[in-house]
Amino acid sequence: MTAALVAGLVAGYGIAVPVGAVATYLVSLTARTSLRTGVCAALGVALADGLYALIATVGGSAVAAVLRPVLAPLRWASALVLLALAARGAVAAVRQYRARRLNTRSAPPPPSPARACLSLFGITLLNPTTVIYFAALVLGTGTTESAGPLEQGVFVLAAFLASASWQVSLAGGGALLGRVLTGHRGRLVTALVSSGVITVLAVRMVT
């Protein structure tokens, strides 16, 4: 039981801690909206990580082998989604800045917490390297290979909680960033920098 718990925590933090395009978008989204929206988005990421942990626990290396042939197309799909998000975020930030500056129209409504959760859940699901990671680094070592359903459940829950704790901490950082950059120009710069970083990371994903 303890081994499964530790393995799940290690796996969850291992896949969540490296800051990539999704984490960058999460921080930027929270800075532009609210902590509630950011936390819901963070839970969407953690749910996807937990689902992949469950798939890896049940299917193991066999699932990884099945996914490897379609890994490249899924990477391209993920990169295209991230590029679309980056472009949309930049355009929305510029429009919002101009609208507030000219006072001619109101800013577009921010995404609801539920929509943010579903969006980040879907984006994270497009990253098949997560299940490859769980299968290769955790199940490949035999940590839960011979474990019973209870130990496997503990592993999946621990992986979810580890990912959730890290993603929520990123959302908290985004909320603090949003409070610091209260000016319209500061929020515009934050959104444009975030869009640029997401674009670079999306391009690197397929190169």
Side-chain angles (χ1 to χ4, degrees):
M1 185 75 69
T2 303
L5 176 63
V6 173
L9 291 174
V10 171
Y13 283 119
I15 195 64
V17 169
V19 177
V22 175
T24 303
Y25 178 71
L26 172 61
V27 173
S28 175
L29 175 66
T30 311
R32 298 195 313 269
T33 56
S34 66
L35 179 59
R36 181 185 177 187
T37 300
V39 169
C40 289
L43 292 179
V45 177
L47 284 172
D49 287 343
L51 178 59
Y52 270 135
L54 176 61
I55 293 173
T57 302
V58 174
S61 300
V63 176
V66 171
L67 284 180
R68 281 195 182 96
V70 296
L71 187 60
L74 287 177
R75 279 179 177 169
W76 276 100
S78 180
L80 290 175
V81 170
L82 290 171
L83 288 173
L85 284 173
R88 180 181 179 184
V91 170
V94 171
R95 286 180 177 176
Q96 183 176 351
Y97 176 74
R98 289 179 176 175
R100 288 184 176 180
R101 188 176 181 182
L102 298 176
N103 291 321
T104 56
R105 55 180 178 179
S106 60
S112 66
R115 181 179 176 183
C117 179
L118 290 176
S119 296
L120 270 294
F121 176 76
I123 293 170
T124 308
L125 280 183
L126 283 174
N127 185 10
T129 55
T130 306
V131 72
I132 300 293
Y133 165 85
F134 279 115
L137 298 185
V138 181
L139 300 178
T141 63
T143 303
T144 58
E145 193 174 86
S146 59
L150 181 58
E151 287 79 8
Q152 291 178 346
V154 170
F155 169 81
V156 173
L157 180 61
F160 165 77
L161 292 177
S163 177
S165 65
W166 180 257
Q167 305 300 340
V168 169
S169 70
L170 290 179
L176 292 175
L177 180 64
R179 291 180 181 179
V180 172
L181 299 175
T182 54
H184 302 326
R185 184 171 298 178
R187 289 182 178 272
L188 173 64
V189 171
T190 301
L192 293 179
V193 170
S194 173
S195 295
V197 172
I198 292 173
T199 300
V200 171
L201 293 173
V203 171
R204 289 184 61 184
M205 185 182 298
V206 293
T207 56

